[in-house]
Amino acid sequence: ESWRQRWGNPKLPFYFVQLASFQARKTQPSEGGWPRMRESQLKTLALHDTGMAVAIDVGEALEIHPKNKQAVGKRLARWALRDCYGEKDLEVSGPLYASNAVEGNKIRVKFTHTGGGLKAQGGELKGFAIAAADKTFVWAQAALDGDSVLVWSESVKAPAFVRYAWADNPECTLYNGADLPASPFRTDN
């Protein structure tokens, strides 16, 4: 808002790139600084006239800056094309977490920005973790169900929380029909 004030434009758009994947991939669900930073960036979308390009799928373990600049640029351009140039029917974001509900031993996760439907890039959903109230996360199975995802694990009988792509360098395959990747998220805090 201070930049908008200095430029004398209260509706000045801000488009930014969410941190890409980086560092070695972990074999177990874990905490880390990168997921929290991505979460902070995601929360910025609550401000008016902002847009975020998710880059979780173009990062590299040993290179902090993704080499695939075209994918990032095209994703940012979608926001400008829709909001600044009037292409109103253009999907600008991959799936964003909206809500969740426990259904027996599974959790149903709903999304916005499904843009032609959810899909699993490569055919299998990966990157979901689930936990009971104790917040001990384990890798989970996940299945598409319309514009939502069902998440479960045989080792978690009373699920309470779900995380997706919550790692420095996660394996994640959830996309929408516009071929845009889902943003990492967590339902716990």
Side-chain angles (χ1 to χ4, degrees), residues 57-60 65-73 75:
D57 61 330
V58 296
E60 299 167 39
H65 297 288
K67 292 179 184 175
N68 185 349
K69 306 289 191 233
Q70 283 191 348
V72 174
R75 292 171 187 175

Side-chain angles (χ1 to χ4, degrees), residues 6-143:
R6 287 181 185 254
W7 284 89
N9 183 351
K11 291 193 171 280
L12 182 67
F14 278 89
Y15 305 128
F16 54 93
V17 180
Q18 191 179 46
L19 292 174
S21 55
F22 178 59
Q23 299 180 350
R25 186 165 282 160
K26 304 278 194 276
T27 58
Q28 296 299 316
S30 61
E31 295 294 324
W34 287 98
R36 292 178 189 277
M37 285 295 296
R38 290 184 195 112
E39 181 179 55
S40 294
Q41 291 176 300
L42 179 62
K43 288 179 179 180
T44 302
L45 291 177
L47 295 172
H48 67 90
D49 299 303
T50 59
M52 180 181 75
V54 175
I56 195 71
D57 61 330
V58 296
E60 299 167 39
L62 301 176
E63 179 60 50
I64 195 165
H65 297 288
K67 292 179 184 175
N68 185 349
K69 306 289 191 233
Q70 283 191 348
V72 174
K74 287 177 180 177
R75 292 171 187 175
L76 285 172
R78 287 174 161 278
W79 287 95
L81 287 169
R82 187 193 71 179
D83 296 344
C84 301
Y85 295 98
E87 290 191 30
K88 296 300 179 198
D89 293 333
L90 187 63
E91 180 58 80
V92 294
S93 176
L96 298 178
Y97 168 78
S99 66
N100 74 89
V102 176
E103 296 180 3
N105 66 341
K106 297 178 181 175
I107 297 180
R108 179 179 299 277
V109 182
K110 294 187 178 180
F111 298 88
T112 59
H113 293 282
T114 57
L118 298 176
K119 65 181 184 178
Q121 197 85 323
E124 182 182 353
L125 284 178
K126 296 179 181 180
F128 284 91
I130 196 167
D134 66 359
K135 294 187 180 179
T136 302
F137 282 88
V138 299
W139 293 124
Q141 294 176 274

